[in-house]
Structure formats: structure tokens, C-alpha cells
Amino acid sequence: MRFRILGPLEVGGAGGPEPDSGGSGNLTPRAAKIRVVLAALLVRANEIVSVDTLIDELWGEEPPRTATTTLQVYVSQLRKLLDEADAEYGRDALVTRAPGYELRLDPAQLDLTVFQELYERGQERMEQREYEAASRLQRQALALWRGPLLSDTPHGPLLDGTAVRMTEVRTAALEQRIRADLHLGRQQALIGELQSVVAEFPLREEFFAHLMVALYRSGRQADALQVFARLRRGLVEELGIDPGLELQTLHRQILGGDPELLRPTGHGGAVEVSGADRARGPVPGAGPGPGTPDGPDAPAAHRSVVELPAADQLFTGREEELGALAALLAAPGGRVVVLGGQVGVGKTALATEAAHRAGERFPGGRVLLRMRPDAHEGREGLDGPAAVARIARLYGAEGALPGDARALRDLLRGLTGGRRLLVVLDSVDRADQVEPVAAALPEARFLVTCRRVPPGLDGRVLLLDVPAPRDARRLLVAARRGAGAPDEAEATEIAELCGQLPLALRAAARAEPCAAARFRGAPGRLAELDAVDPGFLDRLGTAYEDVDSTRQREFRLLGLLPEGPFGAESAAAVLGTDATGARAAVAELVAAGLVREELPSAGRPACYRLSEPLRLLAADRLAAHEPADSVRTATGRLCAAYEEALREVSGQVDGAHSLEWLARQRPAFVTMVRQAARSGLWEQTVRLTDALTGLLETLAAWDDWESCHRLALDAAHQLGDLPAQARLLRSLGDRAWQRRELPAAGELYERALLAADIASDLLERSRALTGLADLRLDAGAVDGAAALLSPALDAAAQDPRARFEALRVMGLLAVECGRPATAEEHFGQCLSEAVVLGDARLESYARRRLAALRAPAPDCSEVRPGVWRLRSAA
């Protein structure tokens, strides 16, 4: 089988796709929906694609009720197609794996994976300065591109995001191929192509830079300057900005006739304008670049090497942290400063910015070494001796290095002239990665970045948290560079959806369009970010992969927790341990950079938080690796803990502290009701909803009230629990009554009454009759209301709350009929029942009613606690 998706979808059998021949080799499905399912499985080949993702891809936010069954039919048809394409292995390639399906392919069977492999190999050759190989590999990759990804297939969120990502990768491959050709001196052959490319990408500065260099090397200095003028005019008119600093530097070099630009290799081989690719080398004529001594003839004792990633044009904010780092690096005493923090929080970006700003304090130079291996970037890790060797080579050491520590230290002192230098050791895991470097460079200062401070590493520690909301918005907007940047409200929402994590913010900024709607769906949010920023998920998951299986499982289970901060009690419930054990486990995850610890504040104990991307990662790993029964059991424990917490505050919601706590916790409680229902924990769904009802009413959380009760009502049906059905229907009727949805309220009360009668539940019979009486009184049918209230009061004989409600409506009826003494009697009885209940809210209502009756001009419009009936002026 062969699949081509870089352009229109094509499926071929043993002979491969034959789109032009019309022969039997072309097996591309004609039905659009089947193409969508196949396409979604292909862009995630050898990965599980969930049923929810496929349904979302097929039908968006309004799937049909038969969506799951229809999807199964499409999958069955796909299996038949694959069987036709490959009778031996085709049918078995598409397997069912919870929570969805997986299409298993050899990478060579799909043009997308071949393209990506060629592109990555080309990148590697470029980094190794093997320009001929880099150019050839990128040409081979680009030859596979027949047009936009799946151009004949409808796109949902997954395909749309992947299409955007692949368009960016194709552009990057084109840019690298052109850059390699410039290094090879092929400037004249490139001019025509580059003229076409800049027309296709009128805002991509790197292509304009390459065209300017190609023209200049071909003796067309004036044309090169006109290209710059055209780009500047376009940027000013479209976006109100000037070209970047790198391109302005190149412009000045061309104006001055810089001979360096004429060299086809070395410094003049290509032009860097993005600052994103360290393999590209320095901008010609811009001063000493990475790995470049002060001058070509500088003696070893005066060399000052600057080997840093290019300054990040998107870096914003963090002024307080930069000031703290500068102070720590300048302070006397310890030579090692440790910058710690969770994955994706921006440690490397901050360390790089600090190093760029520290030039005057480190005359010996500034070097950044990445110590952790990175498979996505094709980079191997460094141990301590390898880091020392790398620094020695940067400063000009040749041949074998001394094995003796003192001799090596003397060599490096001679190479650096004994001057102070700054060494940034990025992504350190162990103390022995730092110790040999520190011993070999006694005059140096070290800035070490790590997720957890390695045992045995001595140094002053600065822990980095996510940026403040304002800085997170600024980073997002800056990353868009004015092109389609979201407004402040949308930027705020996107930042919240990304947990203000810089790694996620930069990924979100790559999306086109950069809109909050793209990232709202929790199940697809990580996939969307990975689609627009290839490798995002790999980088996010590094901290998870680095911990042992026990810590991984604990992290996965924490993914069950609702969004927001959590305490040791919630962690203990989900982990199945006590509070002490939970604190110890979470402390390990904090040290690993997977969980953030939040400092206690006034009225709040110490708590923890999973940043939103990491919470979604935990939930994703939970679905993929945790047995269903384990997830269900942990969910049950967590539901029980939330139910207990709810019952502790019930009846105390009049206090300002309790109301504040409830408003803060309400989304978490609602999430737990949904999780209980999703897990089939029917009894806990009902109990949680019962415990939550009074608090939702107090907060007037109408939508949450309805959604939770609908889930609980379904759970009660699953249990065959008629009393619960009556109770939930009556509560939904109360909600509809308060919302003045009176016909709906009447229908719900009637259904509640029927369920109560069948179940012989006198309490709910009383409450339903009281609700119907309330409705009749609303409509002015006082006789009808009175007929319902007597049996309601009789049925409520044993329950203070039901008696309170029946007496309340009887009091309202007496007021309506002009019998204030009778009304006062009924509201006095309400007060007695409220005292028995210990419910301050109901007690306060009864006292207000009594006070209103005794006032000279009584205002009797409060019909339920906190609910007033509006009356017309007539």
C-alpha cells in the first residue's frame, strides 16, 4: 500500500497510487466522509486517534446522535479498502485500540513521513555544514509536495492544524534548500526562483534576505537595495513595522559594498534573519558571531568567544527575574547560579537573554551548552568532560586535550587569558555535568538551568514560575508580530487556555488564525498545539519521560483533578493514600518540574497546580496507559472527597468566606459531577449533585444547575432510583420557576409528583405539590393553590425543610388573600422550622417576611429566599 497526502489524497495498492492512469492501482475512496477518517488516521499514523477526535473531525460541534455507529461503518469500509489494497496485511493495518483506532504503517508507505524524514536529515546536514547533501535532501523532500495537504478532503480541527503545520515545514525546507545553495555559490541560478518565492511569501524576511545576497553577489547592488525598499514599503503599509534588525544590518552592508558578502562560504554563505536556527551562523559584518574570536589574528590569550543562540526577538517581560539573575551572577561568593522550573516555563529563553545582557561583565566570553539530548532536534547530550572539550575547542584548542585536571585547567586559562567568562549549562540533570567544567574554569561563572536542582549541586537557586498574565499576553501578541494578533480579550483567553506556559504560548502564536476558539476543546488542545508547532508534545512530555514508572502513574492520576489549584486532600484521594503520602508524592513531582507549588495566602492553605498543558498531558497519558478499572476507582475516591467537602460547607453559605470559597470551587465541583457520570459512577453522580444543589441555587449558577441535574437524572434512571428521580425533577422545576420558565416548571413538577407517588415518597410528593401551588399562586389561581397546600403540608409532617416550603407558600397565599394575621402565623412557623434545620439563609428569609408584615407599608415581594416577584405599577 502507498498513501500520498501532500496534495490530493491518493491511495494505491501494490503498484502504488496511479492517479493519472485510471488503473486499478488507484484505490482512493470517493466518499468525502471516508476520506476524512482515512486522512485523520494517516496524519497520525502509528498513533491512536480517539473516537472523539474523529467525530469532531467529521461533524464539528454538532455531531448526529448516531455519530459513533456511523463512524464504525466508515471504519469497516476503510478496512475493506485496505484489504483490497493489500490482501495479506491491509485489513490488519487498521486496529481498534481504546479510546479509538490506530493505522499501522511502515513510514515508507506515506509521503508525509518520507517528507519529514528527508527534511530532518537535511537539517542535520545543514548543521554539519554539509551543504551539498543538505540541498539534495531538501530538494527530494520538496519534490514530494504536490500542493496543500489533503487539498481535496474536508478539514476539521486536526487536519486543518496539520495542514498549517506542513505548509510551514514545506516553507522551512524551501528556505533551507535555498540557503544551502547560497553556501554552494549558486546565486545566479537562484535569482529567478527567489523572485517568485518573495512574491509567494511577501512578509517572509528570510527570503528577501537571500534574494538581496544573490543579487549582490551577481553584481546587481542596486537591484538588491530595491528589494529591501520593496519589502520595507510592504511591511510599513501592511503592518506598520520596519524590517528586522538583521535585515537592516544586511542593507547597510550592501550599501557599504561589504566584500564579506561576496564570499560563497564561511561568514558570507547565507543570511540569518529569524534567530531560530543556531546552525545558520552569524549575520555578515555584524561583529563577532558564535564561535568567532575578536579578530582572525587575535592571539589565544585575548580571544573572547560568544557562543549563544541568537537574541530572541520575541522575548518580553521577565524584568524582575532578569534583575535577580544579574544580581546573583555579579554577587561575590558562589560561582554557580541555578535557574529551576517546570518544563516549558521559559528557563532557556531567560538564561539566553540574561547571557546576552551580561556582555560587559564577562570579557572572557559567553558560551551556552545544551546538556540534555534532544531527539527532535537530533542533538546528543553532553557530560562534564565533553562540555569541557567543547569549550576548549571553541577557544582554539587543537589535538588531544590533557587528561590531567591541572594541565587542562592551565590550558584553558591560557586560551581565555584568565578572564572571567559566563558558561550557561542548559538542561542539566546531574551534578557531575557541572563539576568538571567548574573545576576546569575557576574564573568562570555558571548559570545552570534545570527542572529540579540535582542532588550535590551547590549554588544559589532562582525558581522560575509562569509569567504574569500581562506578560503572557504580551508574549502571545509579540509572537504574532502584529500579523493577525488577537485583541486583548482573546489574548487573555488563549493565555489562560495555555496555562500561561511560554512553551504553549509560542506554539499557539503559530496558529493561523490565532483564535481562542482553536484551543477551547480540552481533548484536542494539545493536538492542535502540536499540529501548529511540530515537536511541542515531545518537549512538553520530556519531564514525564524522565521520571520513574511510579511517579509517571501518580502524575497520570493527577490528570483526573479538575482545572485549578488542589490540596493534599484531593491528591490523597486520587492517589489512594493519606495526606502525608500525597504530600511526599507531589513533592517529588514538583521537584521533577511536573507540578507547581503555590505559596499559601491569606485564608488559603498551601496548594499545588498542574499548569493547563501539563494537566491535559496527564489526562492524555491516563487515557493511554492507565487501566479503565484503576481510573474508575480513582475517580470514585475523588468524587467521595469532593462530596464530603461539599457537605461540610452546606448550610454555611451565608458567610462571606464560604461564598467566596464556593464561587472559586464551583467549576471543580461541576467537573467532578461530569467525571462521575462519564465513569458510570451513577450513585456518586446523584449524591454529588444533591450536595451541590443548594450551593448552585445560592450562586444562581443556572447553567451548571441544569447540566448537573440532567446528568444526575440520567444516573438515577440507570439506577432505577425513583425517589432520586423525583428529587432531581423537582429541583429542575425549582430552577425553571426561578428562571420564569413557567410551562417547563409545571411539566417538571408534574413529573416529579408522578415519580414520588410511584415511589411512595411523601417528602418529594410534598415538595412537588408545593411547587405546583407556587405556580398556581403566580397565575392568580388562589383556590387552586390552596387545594394543593393542605395535602402538601400533610405529606411533609416528618421533614422540616418540606414543612418550611409548604408553610412559605401558605404564608404567601394568606398575604395574597389579605389575611396578614394568618400570614404572620405561617411565617412564624417557617422561622421555627428554619431554626430546627440550622439553616441561616432560610431563617433570615422568615425574619424578613415577618418584619415586612409588621411594617407600616409592607413590601411582601420576596417569595423565596433571595427571589423577588416584580409587580407592575398598576
Side-chain angles (χ1 to χ4, degrees), residues 840-873:
R841 179 167 164 267
L842 299 184
E843 184 180 342
S844 178
Y845 166 77
R847 293 187 187 281
R848 287 195 300 272
R849 291 299 322 198
L850 289 168
L853 285 169
R854 296 161 185 163
D859 176 13
C860 299
S861 59
E862 188 181 9
V863 292
R864 294 190 185 188
V867 180
W868 280 260
R869 180 182 292 125
L870 299 177
R871 299 182 182 273
S872 65

mmCIF file of all heavy atoms in Angstrom, residues 840-873:
data_model
loop_
_atom_site.group_PDB
_atom_site.id
_atom_site.type_symbol
_atom_site.label_atom_id
_atom_site.label_comp_id
_atom_site.label_asym_id
_atom_site.label_seq_id
_atom_site.Cartn_x
_atom_site.Cartn_y
_atom_site.Cartn_z
ATOM 1 N N ALA A 840 -29.225 29.206 58.244
ATOM 2 C CA ALA A 840 -29.261 30.655 58.465
ATOM 3 C C ALA A 840 -29.947 31.386 57.324
ATOM 4 O O ALA A 840 -30.590 32.422 57.534
ATOM 5 C CB ALA A 840 -27.834 31.179 58.645
ATOM 6 N N ARG A 841 -29.816 30.860 56.119
ATOM 7 C CA ARG A 841 -30.417 31.521 54.946
ATOM 8 C C ARG A 841 -31.937 31.496 55.038
ATOM 9 O O ARG A 841 -32.621 32.516 54.814
ATOM 10 C CB ARG A 841 -29.928 30.823 53.679
ATOM 11 C CG ARG A 841 -30.468 31.367 52.381
ATOM 12 C CD ARG A 841 -29.650 30.793 51.223
ATOM 13 N NE ARG A 841 -30.323 30.957 49.958
ATOM 14 C CZ ARG A 841 -31.128 30.040 49.406
ATOM 15 N NH1 ARG A 841 -31.324 28.891 50.038
ATOM 16 N NH2 ARG A 841 -31.704 30.270 48.237
ATOM 17 N N LEU A 842 -32.509 30.336 55.375
ATOM 18 C CA LEU A 842 -33.955 30.226 55.490
ATOM 19 C C LEU A 842 -34.467 31.013 56.702
ATOM 20 O O LEU A 842 -35.538 31.643 56.643
ATOM 21 C CB LEU A 842 -34.366 28.753 55.605
ATOM 22 C CG LEU A 842 -34.006 27.848 54.422
ATOM 23 C CD1 LEU A 842 -34.568 26.443 54.640
ATOM 24 C CD2 LEU A 842 -34.503 28.420 53.106
ATOM 25 N N GLU A 843 -33.697 30.987 57.782
ATOM 26 C CA GLU A 843 -34.089 31.734 58.972
ATOM 27 C C GLU A 843 -34.150 33.231 58.683
ATOM 28 O O GLU A 843 -35.087 33.934 59.091
ATOM 29 C CB GLU A 843 -33.093 31.439 60.101
ATOM 30 C CG GLU A 843 -33.461 32.099 61.417
ATOM 31 C CD GLU A 843 -32.450 31.776 62.519
ATOM 32 O OE1 GLU A 843 -31.689 30.787 62.358
ATOM 33 O OE2 GLU A 843 -32.434 32.505 63.538
ATOM 34 N N SER A 844 -33.147 33.719 57.943
ATOM 35 C CA SER A 844 -33.118 35.146 57.607
ATOM 36 C C SER A 844 -34.311 35.517 56.731
ATOM 37 O O SER A 844 -34.920 36.584 56.896
ATOM 38 C CB SER A 844 -31.803 35.472 56.895
ATOM 39 O OG SER A 844 -31.761 36.820 56.519
ATOM 40 N N TYR A 845 -34.688 34.642 55.817
ATOM 41 C CA TYR A 845 -35.840 34.902 54.954
ATOM 42 C C TYR A 845 -37.110 35.022 55.787
ATOM 43 O O TYR A 845 -37.912 35.959 55.597
ATOM 44 C CB TYR A 845 -35.994 33.774 53.930
ATOM 45 C CG TYR A 845 -37.331 33.777 53.218
ATOM 46 C CD1 TYR A 845 -37.587 34.678 52.194
ATOM 47 C CD2 TYR A 845 -38.338 32.888 53.591
ATOM 48 C CE1 TYR A 845 -38.816 34.696 51.545
ATOM 49 C CE2 TYR A 845 -39.571 32.896 52.952
ATOM 50 C CZ TYR A 845 -39.806 33.789 51.929
ATOM 51 O OH TYR A 845 -41.043 33.808 51.287
ATOM 52 N N ALA A 846 -37.339 34.068 56.709
ATOM 53 C CA ALA A 846 -38.554 34.101 57.542
ATOM 54 C C ALA A 846 -38.613 35.382 58.372
ATOM 55 O O ALA A 846 -39.685 36.004 58.519
ATOM 56 C CB ALA A 846 -38.597 32.873 58.441
ATOM 57 N N ARG A 847 -37.479 35.804 58.912
ATOM 58 C CA ARG A 847 -37.468 37.040 59.712
ATOM 59 C C ARG A 847 -37.792 38.254 58.832
ATOM 60 O O ARG A 847 -38.488 39.182 59.276
ATOM 61 C CB ARG A 847 -36.112 37.212 60.396
ATOM 62 C CG ARG A 847 -35.828 36.164 61.463
ATOM 63 C CD ARG A 847 -34.554 36.492 62.231
ATOM 64 N NE ARG A 847 -34.200 35.408 63.142
ATOM 65 C CZ ARG A 847 -34.769 35.204 64.337
ATOM 66 N NH1 ARG A 847 -35.737 36.038 64.751
ATOM 67 N NH2 ARG A 847 -34.389 34.203 65.109
ATOM 68 N N ARG A 848 -37.271 38.292 57.597
ATOM 69 C CA ARG A 848 -37.585 39.413 56.706
ATOM 70 C C ARG A 848 -39.077 39.456 56.387
ATOM 71 O O ARG A 848 -39.689 40.531 56.305
ATOM 72 C CB ARG A 848 -36.757 39.309 55.421
ATOM 73 C CG ARG A 848 -35.297 39.636 55.591
ATOM 74 C CD ARG A 848 -34.596 39.887 54.250
ATOM 75 N NE ARG A 848 -34.645 38.731 53.356
ATOM 76 C CZ ARG A 848 -33.750 37.745 53.354
ATOM 77 N NH1 ARG A 848 -32.739 37.764 54.230
ATOM 78 N NH2 ARG A 848 -33.855 36.742 52.492
ATOM 79 N N ARG A 849 -39.661 38.281 56.172
ATOM 80 C CA ARG A 849 -41.090 38.245 55.869
ATOM 81 C C ARG A 849 -41.915 38.754 57.050
ATOM 82 O O ARG A 849 -42.872 39.521 56.878
ATOM 83 C CB ARG A 849 -41.510 36.816 55.523
ATOM 84 C CG ARG A 849 -40.977 36.268 54.233
ATOM 85 C CD ARG A 849 -41.390 37.025 52.999
ATOM 86 N NE ARG A 849 -42.748 37.524 53.016
ATOM 87 C CZ ARG A 849 -43.422 37.908 51.929
ATOM 88 N NH1 ARG A 849 -42.837 37.809 50.728
ATOM 89 N NH2 ARG A 849 -44.638 38.362 52.009
ATOM 90 N N LEU A 850 -41.540 38.318 58.258
ATOM 91 C CA LEU A 850 -42.278 38.771 59.444
ATOM 92 C C LEU A 850 -42.117 40.276 59.640
ATOM 93 O O LEU A 850 -43.092 40.978 59.978
ATOM 94 C CB LEU A 850 -41.785 38.012 60.676
ATOM 95 C CG LEU A 850 -42.177 36.527 60.742
ATOM 96 C CD1 LEU A 850 -41.407 35.811 61.837
ATOM 97 C CD2 LEU A 850 -43.699 36.381 60.973
ATOM 98 N N ALA A 851 -40.905 40.778 59.432
ATOM 99 C CA ALA A 851 -40.672 42.215 59.586
ATOM 100 C C ALA A 851 -41.474 43.004 58.563
ATOM 101 O O ALA A 851 -42.025 44.079 58.869
ATOM 102 C CB ALA A 851 -39.182 42.523 59.450
ATOM 103 N N ALA A 852 -41.581 42.480 57.337
ATOM 104 C CA ALA A 852 -42.336 43.174 56.294
ATOM 105 C C ALA A 852 -43.817 43.229 56.641
ATOM 106 O O ALA A 852 -44.500 44.234 56.390
ATOM 107 C CB ALA A 852 -42.124 42.476 54.949
ATOM 108 N N LEU A 853 -44.337 42.150 57.243
ATOM 109 C CA LEU A 853 -45.754 42.130 57.608
ATOM 110 C C LEU A 853 -46.071 43.144 58.708
ATOM 111 O O LEU A 853 -47.181 43.682 58.785
ATOM 112 C CB LEU A 853 -46.144 40.731 58.084
ATOM 113 C CG LEU A 853 -46.301 39.670 56.987
ATOM 114 C CD1 LEU A 853 -46.428 38.285 57.603
ATOM 115 C CD2 LEU A 853 -47.505 39.970 56.105
ATOM 116 N N ARG A 854 -45.086 43.414 59.563
ATOM 117 C CA ARG A 854 -45.308 44.316 60.682
ATOM 118 C C ARG A 854 -44.991 45.773 60.337
ATOM 119 O O ARG A 854 -45.197 46.677 61.166
ATOM 120 C CB ARG A 854 -44.467 43.878 61.875
ATOM 121 C CG ARG A 854 -44.861 42.491 62.410
ATOM 122 C CD ARG A 854 -43.770 41.875 63.251
ATOM 123 N NE ARG A 854 -44.130 40.496 63.638
ATOM 124 C CZ ARG A 854 -43.264 39.599 64.089
ATOM 125 N NH1 ARG A 854 -41.969 39.934 64.222
ATOM 126 N NH2 ARG A 854 -43.662 38.377 64.414
ATOM 127 N N ALA A 855 -44.447 45.996 59.132
ATOM 128 C CA ALA A 855 -44.088 47.353 58.726
ATOM 129 C C ALA A 855 -45.348 48.131 58.342
ATOM 130 O O ALA A 855 -46.348 47.545 57.915
ATOM 131 C CB ALA A 855 -43.124 47.311 57.550
ATOM 132 N N PRO A 856 -45.286 49.499 58.464
ATOM 133 C CA PRO A 856 -46.465 50.295 58.110
ATOM 134 C C PRO A 856 -46.888 50.109 56.652
ATOM 135 O O PRO A 856 -48.067 50.049 56.342
ATOM 136 C CB PRO A 856 -46.004 51.736 58.373
ATOM 137 C CG PRO A 856 -44.857 51.612 59.328
ATOM 138 C CD PRO A 856 -44.205 50.303 59.024
ATOM 139 N N ALA A 857 -45.887 50.039 55.753
ATOM 140 C CA ALA A 857 -46.192 49.819 54.331
ATOM 141 C C ALA A 857 -45.438 48.573 53.891
ATOM 142 O O ALA A 857 -44.332 48.657 53.358
ATOM 143 C CB ALA A 857 -45.766 51.030 53.508
ATOM 144 N N PRO A 858 -45.991 47.414 54.179
ATOM 145 C CA PRO A 858 -45.244 46.175 53.949
ATOM 146 C C PRO A 858 -44.890 45.953 52.485
ATOM 147 O O PRO A 858 -45.683 46.238 51.594
ATOM 148 C CB PRO A 858 -46.211 45.092 54.460
ATOM 149 C CG PRO A 858 -47.563 45.703 54.375
ATOM 150 C CD PRO A 858 -47.367 47.160 54.643
ATOM 151 N N ASP A 859 -43.657 45.493 52.284
ATOM 152 C CA ASP A 859 -43.209 45.076 50.955
ATOM 153 C C ASP A 859 -43.090 43.564 50.982
ATOM 154 O O ASP A 859 -42.162 43.021 51.559
ATOM 155 C CB ASP A 859 -41.854 45.719 50.622
ATOM 156 C CG ASP A 859 -41.308 45.214 49.285
ATOM 157 O OD1 ASP A 859 -42.075 44.578 48.536
ATOM 158 O OD2 ASP A 859 -40.113 45.452 49.017
ATOM 159 N N CYS A 860 -44.049 42.893 50.414
ATOM 160 C CA CYS A 860 -44.106 41.436 50.507
ATOM 161 C C CYS A 860 -43.750 40.779 49.192
ATOM 162 O O CYS A 860 -44.372 39.793 48.796
ATOM 163 C CB CYS A 860 -45.508 41.003 50.970
ATOM 164 S SG CYS A 860 -45.959 41.641 52.588
ATOM 165 N N SER A 861 -42.785 41.326 48.464
ATOM 166 C CA SER A 861 -42.475 40.794 47.129
ATOM 167 C C SER A 861 -41.446 39.678 47.139
ATOM 168 O O SER A 861 -41.224 39.038 46.113
ATOM 169 C CB SER A 861 -41.980 41.924 46.213
ATOM 170 O OG SER A 861 -40.823 42.531 46.769
ATOM 171 N N GLU A 862 -40.751 39.419 48.275
ATOM 172 C CA GLU A 862 -39.761 38.325 48.326
ATOM 173 C C GLU A 862 -40.505 37.006 48.539
ATOM 174 O O GLU A 862 -40.987 36.713 49.619
ATOM 175 C CB GLU A 862 -38.740 38.543 49.447
ATOM 176 C CG GLU A 862 -37.594 37.526 49.381
ATOM 177 C CD GLU A 862 -36.566 37.687 50.493
ATOM 178 O OE1 GLU A 862 -36.813 38.485 51.437
ATOM 179 O OE2 GLU A 862 -35.518 37.026 50.420
ATOM 180 N N VAL A 863 -40.556 36.191 47.475
ATOM 181 C CA VAL A 863 -41.374 34.982 47.533
ATOM 182 C C VAL A 863 -40.572 33.752 47.949
ATOM 183 O O VAL A 863 -41.114 32.816 48.540
ATOM 184 C CB VAL A 863 -42.077 34.742 46.182
ATOM 185 C CG1 VAL A 863 -43.116 35.812 45.939
ATOM 186 C CG2 VAL A 863 -41.063 34.719 45.039
ATOM 187 N N ARG A 864 -39.296 33.709 47.601
ATOM 188 C CA ARG A 864 -38.383 32.672 48.066
ATOM 189 C C ARG A 864 -37.118 33.370 48.536
ATOM 190 O O ARG A 864 -36.883 34.532 48.178
ATOM 191 C CB ARG A 864 -38.043 31.676 46.951
ATOM 192 C CG ARG A 864 -39.216 30.836 46.485
ATOM 193 C CD ARG A 864 -38.762 29.704 45.568
ATOM 194 N NE ARG A 864 -39.901 28.968 45.029
ATOM 195 C CZ ARG A 864 -39.800 27.845 44.321
ATOM 196 N NH1 ARG A 864 -38.602 27.320 44.069
ATOM 197 N NH2 ARG A 864 -40.882 27.239 43.866
ATOM 198 N N PRO A 865 -36.291 32.695 49.323
ATOM 199 C CA PRO A 865 -35.075 33.371 49.797
ATOM 200 C C PRO A 865 -34.251 33.937 48.639
ATOM 201 O O PRO A 865 -33.781 33.205 47.774
ATOM 202 C CB PRO A 865 -34.320 32.259 50.527
ATOM 203 C CG PRO A 865 -35.384 31.309 50.961
ATOM 204 C CD PRO A 865 -36.425 31.337 49.874
ATOM 205 N N GLY A 866 -34.152 35.263 48.611
ATOM 206 C CA GLY A 866 -33.364 35.912 47.576
ATOM 207 C C GLY A 866 -34.073 36.030 46.242
ATOM 208 O O GLY A 866 -33.471 36.460 45.262
ATOM 209 N N VAL A 867 -35.366 35.689 46.162
ATOM 210 C CA VAL A 867 -36.120 35.761 44.904
ATOM 211 C C VAL A 867 -37.307 36.679 45.126
ATOM 212 O O VAL A 867 -38.150 36.433 46.005
ATOM 213 C CB VAL A 867 -36.614 34.362 44.449
ATOM 214 C CG1 VAL A 867 -37.388 34.490 43.143
ATOM 215 C CG2 VAL A 867 -35.442 33.417 44.289
ATOM 216 N N TRP A 868 -37.368 37.757 44.335
ATOM 217 C CA TRP A 868 -38.442 38.724 44.456
ATOM 218 C C TRP A 868 -39.340 38.652 43.231
ATOM 219 O O TRP A 868 -38.858 38.485 42.098
ATOM 220 C CB TRP A 868 -37.884 40.147 44.582
ATOM 221 C CG TRP A 868 -37.409 40.488 45.954
ATOM 222 C CD1 TRP A 868 -38.067 41.208 46.904
ATOM 223 C CD2 TRP A 868 -36.163 40.121 46.543
ATOM 224 N NE1 TRP A 868 -37.323 41.314 48.045
ATOM 225 C CE2 TRP A 868 -36.130 40.659 47.860
ATOM 226 C CE3 TRP A 868 -35.064 39.384 46.113
ATOM 227 C CZ2 TRP A 868 -35.070 40.491 48.723
ATOM 228 C CZ3 TRP A 868 -34.002 39.210 46.972
ATOM 229 C CH2 TRP A 868 -34.001 39.762 48.264
ATOM 230 N N ARG A 869 -40.634 38.792 43.442
ATOM 231 C CA ARG A 869 -41.579 38.856 42.325
ATOM 232 C C ARG A 869 -41.783 40.317 41.969
ATOM 233 O O ARG A 869 -42.101 41.143 42.833
ATOM 234 C CB ARG A 869 -42.915 38.215 42.704
ATOM 235 C CG ARG A 869 -43.930 38.260 41.558
ATOM 236 C CD ARG A 869 -45.264 37.654 41.968
ATOM 237 N NE ARG A 869 -45.143 36.226 42.172
ATOM 238 C CZ ARG A 869 -45.493 35.603 43.297
ATOM 239 N NH1 ARG A 869 -45.968 36.299 44.318
ATOM 240 N NH2 ARG A 869 -45.357 34.297 43.420
ATOM 241 N N LEU A 870 -41.543 40.640 40.709
ATOM 242 C CA LEU A 870 -41.746 42.009 40.238
ATOM 243 C C LEU A 870 -43.219 42.232 39.958
ATOM 244 O O LEU A 870 -43.879 41.412 39.320
ATOM 245 C CB LEU A 870 -40.919 42.265 38.969
ATOM 246 C CG LEU A 870 -39.403 42.117 39.128
ATOM 247 C CD1 LEU A 870 -38.713 42.329 37.789
ATOM 248 C CD2 LEU A 870 -38.871 43.104 40.151
ATOM 249 N N ARG A 871 -43.722 43.344 40.427
ATOM 250 C CA ARG A 871 -45.126 43.683 40.186
ATOM 251 C C ARG A 871 -45.194 44.960 39.368
ATOM 252 O O ARG A 871 -44.372 45.860 39.509
ATOM 253 C CB ARG A 871 -45.871 43.879 41.514
ATOM 254 C CG ARG A 871 -45.889 42.623 42.396
ATOM 255 C CD ARG A 871 -46.678 42.886 43.663
ATOM 256 N NE ARG A 871 -46.671 41.720 44.546
ATOM 257 C CZ ARG A 871 -47.539 40.722 44.471
ATOM 258 N NH1 ARG A 871 -48.479 40.737 43.516
ATOM 259 N NH2 ARG A 871 -47.492 39.712 45.313
ATOM 260 N N SER A 872 -46.188 45.044 38.509
ATOM 261 C CA SER A 872 -46.340 46.244 37.677
ATOM 262 C C SER A 872 -46.841 47.399 38.528
ATOM 263 O O SER A 872 -47.437 47.211 39.595
ATOM 264 C CB SER A 872 -47.323 45.970 36.535
ATOM 265 O OG SER A 872 -48.614 45.721 37.064
ATOM 266 N N ALA A 873 -46.631 48.620 38.034
ATOM 267 C CA ALA A 873 -47.055 49.813 38.767
ATOM 268 C C ALA A 873 -48.569 49.863 38.913
ATOM 269 O O ALA A 873 -49.101 50.458 39.851
ATOM 270 C CB ALA A 873 -46.546 51.074 38.058
#
